[in-house]
Amino acid sequence: MRISNITPNSFTFTFLLRCFESFESLEAGQVMHGHIVKLGFESSVFAKNTLMDFYAKCGGNLGSARKVFDEMLDRDVVSWNTMIGGYMIHGDQERALCLFEAMPERNVVTWNSVIAGLLKAGNMELARSVFKRMPEKNDVSWNTMISGCVKLSNIEAARAVFDEMPEKSVISWTAMVSGYATIGDLQSARKMFDRIPEKNVISWNALIAGYVNNHMFDEALSVFQHMLIDGSCKPNQTTLISILSACSYLGSHEHGKWIDSFIRKNKFDVSVPLGNALIDTFAKCGDMENAKAVFLSMAQKCIITWTTMISGLAVNGHCRDALELYEKMCLEGVEPDDVVFVAVLSACTHGGLLEEGKRVFDQMVNKFGIKPRIDHYGCMVDLLGRAGKFEEALSFIKSMHLEPNAVIWATLLSACKIHGNGELLESLTRRILEQEPNNPSYLTLIMNLSSSIGRWQDALNFRRATRDKGIEKIPGCSSIQIGNSVHEFLAKDTKHSQRKEIYRVLGCLNGHLKLCEVE
């Protein structure tokens, strides 16, 4: 443009500064500042506002932004709002409020910016005071106040503002649903949701995500089904990612396959997060064929995609495939992170790939410069222990830069149980009990190993001590999907609605088994 001798106007600099802001090129912006001065655009309020906004957002250069503001001969309400917003974004409430009070004329954007900034800084009382002073509030003002209170986990304050609101929008209702869900009050969240006059997809997503985040997966699936039956809002990618998360936790293969079919039938673009969620669901349901199909169909992959697939292969016993996929990832130039190494080392552990595991650990530390976490050390101790390399495992533990925790010692003790090695029982038991004396899982492991090597008195002593302390192992939970419902059970379950019928059938089965034994 300059070579063609076309004179720029104030819009030219606005577009350029927005461009430089997107990749935080402060130096390029400063060059444009020079052109603005040279070409006589200093009097342009429009150009100066954009320049001020650029400095405030690009590297937090508030000193330069304030200098531009102070040099302006004419300022409009945008100039003041830009400077106040800049201070608020960077947590300088004092200067922002000084400018706010000095401002000759405020508009609703000014008030909303100050309230949002104060709430972000956690200053609820001052935000509430400014909110009450507002001569005129719009929908954004009310929603800013509600959302701010919700983010500060003050649901009572949010509800007070909500109840005072003259006309409630779907955004306000949804903010309250999210607020109640965030504090785990799903009963109030559901009541609020049911009262929404016109729900949108975000409202449905808020309730579904609330159930998922509070581990109420069956309820999340139920809401999703009601959403489809209702038909007023179509699920979006966010809905499907939440529901797939519920399917993963429940191991609900049928729901996972149905959602995969729904995605293809409705021609959804499978984004990276959605693809990752599908892979995770299929892998956790043991369906590696469909997991692989999704993985291969994804045009774009991130490190999470590779990690999810590697982890899925490892968990489902395809350990060499997991290791090969890791090597392929490295060949494609994807930089591994500490999480993917946990997945790869786990694959080596489950597959008994001792030498490969050592090589991967060495790569992680020496090639990629990743400092091992306790998870990585745990995988290596497990790998060495399963291979019966107890001396090497102990030597490895001594070389760790982190203090070994009870998990490390229990991992080695578990390997001793596999190999019937009672030599390390006393020393490992002592270390475990020093760190976590009341962990029922570890106490059970110690009792089992003592029993397996014939130390019955030790096992009995631990059992008595556990009983005397009132320590109980947390029972496992199993689930089964029947039709559209997922039923969860604990040992000696007393909560299931059909428990009487279930126990009656179990009693009959026990009777039949006893008859079979007699015959």
Side-chain angles (χ1 to χ4, degrees):
M1 184 180 181
R2 289 173 63 203
I3 290 166
S4 302
N5 290 321
I6 297 169
T7 306
N9 60 16
S10 56
F11 288 103
T12 312
F13 296 110
T14 300
F15 298 138
L16 286 166
L17 288 167
R18 290 274 181 264
C19 167
F20 300 140
E21 181 191 306
S22 67
F23 52 90
E24 295 191 357
S25 179
L26 180 62
E27 192 178 325
Q30 288 170 332
V31 171
M32 283 306 110
H33 189 169
H35 283 298
I36 288 168
V37 174
K38 269 196 297 184
L39 295 169
F41 287 102
E42 277 194 296
S43 59
S44 168
V45 176
F46 189 65
K48 281 298 190 73
N49 286 347
T50 310
L51 186 60
M52 190 173 17
D53 187 52
F54 168 80
Y55 279 129
K57 288 177 180 174
C58 191
N61 205 322
L62 292 177
S64 296
R66 184 58 190 260
K67 192 176 178 185
V68 172
F69 178 81
D70 289 338
E71 288 173 355
M72 289 176 74
L73 299 174
D74 294 311
R75 303 184 189 107
D76 60 9
V77 71
V78 177
S79 315
W80 290 88
N81 287 348
T82 302
M83 200 63 236
I84 290 167
Y87 280 131
M88 279 297 184
I89 286 168
H90 295 282
D92 194 341
Q93 296 173 61
E94 191 178 338
R95 284 194 172 92
L97 289 170
C98 283
L99 273 183
F100 176 71
E101 297 301 341
M103 195 172 175
E105 185 185 342
R106 305 179 188 106
N107 63 8
V108 72
V109 176
T110 319
W111 291 91
N112 291 345
S113 175
V114 170
I115 291 165
L118 292 170
L119 287 167
K120 187 180 178 184
N123 198 336
M124 188 183 291
E125 289 307 312
L126 193 50
R128 195 180 289 168
S129 169
V130 173
F131 181 74
K132 285 179 180 176
R133 283 172 55 196
M134 282 186 77
E136 195 177 318
K137 302 175 181 75
N138 64 5
D139 198 46
V140 175
S141 316
W142 291 97
N143 290 331
T144 299
M145 198 68 202
I146 292 168
S147 298
C149 293
V150 164
K151 282 175 184 172
L152 293 171
S153 300
N154 193 332
I155 197 69
E156 291 84 5
R159 184 60 189 263
V161 176
F162 178 80
D163 289 340
E164 192 186 335
M165 193 174 180
E167 288 184 24
K168 299 166 179 65
S169 66
V170 68
I171 297 168
S172 322
W173 288 98
T174 303
M176 289 305 301
V177 172
S178 294
Y180 280 119
T182 301
I183 63 166
D185 186 356
L186 270 299
Q187 191 174 359
S188 296
R190 185 58 189 260
K191 284 179 182 176
M192 189 64 70
F193 176 81
D194 289 338
R195 287 175 56 200
I196 301 176
E198 286 187 32
K199 301 172 182 71
N200 63 14
V201 69
I202 300 169
S203 317
W204 288 95
N205 289 349
L207 187 62
I208 290 169
Y211 279 127
V212 171
N213 294 335
N214 285 277
H215 296 162
M216 298 170 74
F217 307 115
D218 206 12
E219 288 85 347
L221 288 169
S222 175
V223 172
F224 177 61
Q225 285 160 5
H226 280 107
M227 181 184 186
L228 296 175
I229 292 163
D230 181 89
S232 58
C233 295
K234 285 187 176 181
N236 61 11
Q237 297 224 6
T238 305
T239 322
L240 298 173
I241 290 167
S242 285
I243 286 300
L244 284 167
S245 178
C247 296
S248 294
Y249 279 102
L250 291 170
S252 180
H253 189 219
E254 287 303 311
H255 279 106
K257 284 202 298 184
W258 186 89
I259 292 165
D260 184 37
S261 174
F262 179 85
I263 288 166
R264 282 188 271 107
K265 186 179 176 182
N266 290 275
K267 296 180 180 176
F268 272 84
D269 288 328
V270 179
S271 65
V272 172
L274 183 56
N276 294 347
L278 274 168
I279 294 168
D280 187 52
T281 300
F282 283 130
K284 283 179 178 170
C285 293
D287 183 356
M288 288 313 299
E289 285 306 310
N290 272 315
K292 282 179 190 175
V294 175
F295 180 82
L296 294 171
S297 71
M298 289 173 68
Q300 289 184 307
K301 300 176 182 73
C302 68
I303 188 66
I304 297 169
T305 316
W306 292 93
T307 304
T308 306
M309 193 65 204
I310 290 167
S311 179
L313 287 166
V315 168
N316 286 283
H318 306 285
C319 301
R320 286 210 174 271
D321 290 344
L323 194 58
E324 286 173 13
L325 189 62
Y326 157 72
E327 287 165 356
K328 185 182 177 185
M329 181 190 86
C330 293
L331 286 172
E332 291 192 13
V334 179
E335 186 80 12
D337 63 3
D338 58 336
V339 181
V340 78
F341 276 111
V342 172
V344 179
L345 290 170
S346 295
C348 294
T349 300
H350 292 303
L353 308 173
L354 180 60
E355 294 307 316
E356 291 87 341
K358 288 180 180 179
R359 178 173 54 80
V360 167
F361 188 84
D362 182 67
Q363 273 186 352
M364 179 184 79
V365 176
N366 298 315
K367 183 178 178 181
F368 296 104
I370 294 171
K371 202 171 186 179
R373 292 192 281 110
I374 201 74
D375 313 64
H376 302 113
Y377 286 130
C379 287
M380 286 303 295
V381 171
D382 196 13
L383 180 61
L384 291 164
R386 283 172 188 251
K389 307 280 185 181
F390 294 105
E391 289 302 319
E392 193 176 342
L394 287 169
S395 176
F396 180 82
I397 291 169
K398 285 178 186 175
S399 72
M400 286 165 49
H401 78 278
L402 296 170
E403 189 69 27
N405 60 11
V407 177
I408 296 290
W409 299 119
T411 300
L412 195 55
L413 187 64
S414 183
C416 289
K417 183 176 179 294
I418 293 168
H419 291 276
N421 184 334
E423 294 174 15
L424 298 172
L425 176 61
E426 286 184 20
S427 62
L428 292 176
T429 298
R430 188 177 65 254
R431 290 178 184 278
I432 290 168
L433 294 179
E434 280 171 2
Q435 295 182 348
E436 291 197 37
N438 298 321
N439 187 310
S441 298
Y442 297 154
L443 292 173
T444 303
L445 179 62
I446 293 165
M447 284 188 281
N448 290 344
L449 178 57
S450 300
S451 302
S452 69
I453 60 171
R455 297 177 66 163
W456 304 107
Q457 191 58 48
D458 288 346
L460 188 62
N461 291 340
F462 270 109
R463 193 177 296 279
R464 280 175 183 162
T466 302
R467 193 185 303 122
D468 292 344
K469 288 181 181 179
I471 300 168
E472 287 187 17
K473 191 172 184 291
I474 297 168
C477 176
S478 60
S479 64
I480 184 170
Q481 181 183 341
I482 301 171
N484 291 324
S485 297
V486 177
H487 300 264
E488 292 184 314
F489 301 94
L490 295 169
K492 299 179 182 178
D493 201 314
T494 58
K495 293 182 179 179
H496 196 277
S497 59
Q498 293 175 278
R499 61 189 177 279
K500 288 182 181 177
E501 294 93 325
I502 292 167
Y503 283 121
R504 194 179 299 124
V505 171
L506 284 171
C508 290
L509 287 170
N510 282 332
H512 282 300
L513 288 169
K514 284 175 183 176
L515 286 172
C516 290
E517 285 175 6
V518 171
E519 289 173 4

